[in-house]
Amino acid sequence: MPSRAQVLQVLETLAIGAAGGALFYWAELPGGLITGAMIAVASVGMAGRPLGLPQPMAHAILMTLGLSLGAMVSPQLIKNLSAYPMTIALLALATACSTLVSSLYLQRIHGWDRTSALLAGSPGALSQIVMLASERKADVPGIAVVQIMRVIILTAGVPLFLTATGMMAHGPLPSRGIAATPLALAELAAVGVAAALLLRLVNFPASWMFGAMLGSAVLHGAGWVDGTLPQWAYVAALTGIGTLIGARFSKIRTRTIVSHIGAALGSFAVAMTISACFVAAIAFTMPVRIGDVVVAFSPGAMDAMMALALTLHVDPVFVGAHHLARFIFVSLVTPGIIHLFGKGPDDLDD
């Protein structure tokens, strides 16, 4: 059983995240529920308060998000599948270019070693990247700062950018239709948990979120279930994602953040410049909405980008397919790149 101090810490984290999300939503900032919770929790945590959420609660948040995303699947969205192979291939190329150029920037400008620079420049799959960094004796704090800073900036900046450029309408949360009946909600929860557990058995990435999304999508797509999650659950999932990201960032010491802020911002600028070139090329040559491509090609956290897909009126299936493809690409390719181009065994022994 958790101690009284742990329970109070969780309640404080949730209260701060809810307050930040409510404030940003009241101010009508794009993606306010996510970004407000994220910034509030990260700020308070960096000021010295120990914040965080337990793993079971994090899993529940991710499953709720997945069920909400799956409920948005429709025949119209499925028709867009024919455009995915080409854009996913371009995403893989953009990811490779972004990783290599960002790593060169960190090596030449900030004096990082090759292994640390390659891992910091790899967009996404944070847990796998940190584990690999520990095994290769790389600069784990620096890599964590660069990776999480990119997530923070993208989660807060993508909604503002899309709204400011007119690519996305600014307004309240999108209409999601009527709420499902209690029986339908029970079916969704049961199928979502079963699918998530099956995905975990095969080490599928983000299994709690994608398992719930898959189960919900099948039930809705087949017409076996009608309706979506209640609005309060939808709001809780969006606020919870922001709280999770903020709590992750708040665990890094302020001194560590300050010492690596230049590297984080510089490598972020390099990565975004490369991504922007690919987004522009796709927007001018393929029949896809530029807002969908911007969110799909943003090298942020998969769960955060999926949550933004809910709030920004973009195609969640398109965004989910691309972020999952990037996650798998990074997870499979990065170890090989580090083996070929990172520090050799002699360097590691030293």
Side-chain angles (χ1 to χ4, degrees):
M1 294 294 292
S3 65
R4 182 173 180 271
Q6 291 173 322
V7 172
L8 291 176
Q9 176 181 305
V10 171
L11 292 176
E12 182 181 5
T13 303
L14 292 173
I16 293 171
L23 177 62
F24 275 50
Y25 184 72
W26 174 78
E28 297 186 356
L29 293 174
L33 289 175
I34 303 172
T35 56
M38 177 185 67
I39 292 173
V41 172
S43 300
V44 174
M46 290 172 60
R49 293 295 298 176
L51 302 176
L53 297 177
Q55 281 294 97
M57 186 172 292
H59 294 160
I61 291 171
L62 292 172
M63 283 200 63
T64 305
L65 174 63
L67 292 174
S68 296
L69 288 165
M72 299 179 69
V73 172
S74 66
Q76 185 62 38
L77 293 180
I78 296 175
K79 287 182 179 179
N80 294 331
L81 286 172
S82 60
Y84 292 1
M86 180 60 70
T87 53
I88 287 177
L90 290 173
L91 175 64
L93 181 59
T95 300
C97 293
S98 175
T99 299
L100 293 176
V101 178
S102 295
S103 67
L104 286 175
Y105 166 82
L106 291 171
Q107 291 177 68
R108 302 289 175 83
I109 304 300
H110 297 278
W112 285 36
D113 63 85
R114 282 175 295 163
T115 299
S116 298
L118 285 167
L119 289 171
S122 180
L126 178 61
S127 58
Q128 286 87 336
I129 293 297
V130 171
M131 288 174 58
L132 189 57
S134 300
E135 292 176 358
R136 304 291 295 189
K137 298 182 181 180
D139 183 3
V140 175
I143 292 168
V145 170
V146 171
Q147 290 274 2
I148 298 178
M149 183 68 75
R150 180 173 62 241
V151 172
I152 293 283
I153 296 173
L154 284 172
T155 305
V158 167
L160 293 174
F161 171 77
L162 291 176
T163 303
T165 56
M167 298 181 195
M168 202 61 56
H170 177 60
L173 294 176
S175 175
R176 300 164 48 254
I178 61 172
T181 64
L183 178 59
L185 290 175
E187 293 175 358
L188 286 170
V191 173
V193 170
L197 292 176
L198 286 175
L199 292 182
R200 284 182 64 82
L201 289 177
V202 296
N203 295 320
F204 194 84
S207 57
W208 291 105
M209 181 180 70
F210 274 99
M213 179 180 173
L214 178 62
S216 178
V218 170
L219 291 178
H220 283 90
W224 295 333
V225 169
D226 291 322
T228 64
L229 269 64
Q231 188 74 1
W232 63 265
Y234 172 62
V235 170
L238 298 179
T239 307
I241 288 296
T243 302
L244 284 174
I245 298 172
R248 182 185 299 173
F249 190 76
S250 69
K251 297 182 185 300
I252 304 177
R253 294 182 178 180
T254 305
R255 182 175 58 185
T256 304
I257 296 174
V258 172
S259 63
H260 293 97
I261 191 69
L265 295 178
S267 63
F268 172 80
V270 171
M272 289 309 299
T273 299
I274 294 173
S275 294
C277 293
F278 279 87
V279 168
I282 292 172
F284 284 111
T285 59
M286 297 184 183
V288 293
R289 294 194 308 172
I290 188 170
D292 294 348
V293 181
V294 169
V295 180
F297 273 64
S298 295
M302 182 163 52
D303 49 7
M305 293 297 106
M306 293 292 286
L308 286 179
L310 284 175
T311 64
L312 298 178
H313 305 260
V314 301
D315 185 342
V317 177
F318 183 88
V319 172
H322 286 75
H323 278 280
L324 177 59
R326 179 171 55 82
F327 187 101
I328 295 173
F329 177 80
V330 170
S331 299
L332 294 178
V333 174
T334 300
I337 292 176
I338 297 302
H339 178 73
L340 292 174
F341 301 106
K343 291 185 291 188
D346 294 337
D347 298 325
L348 295 177
D349 293 339
D350 294 340

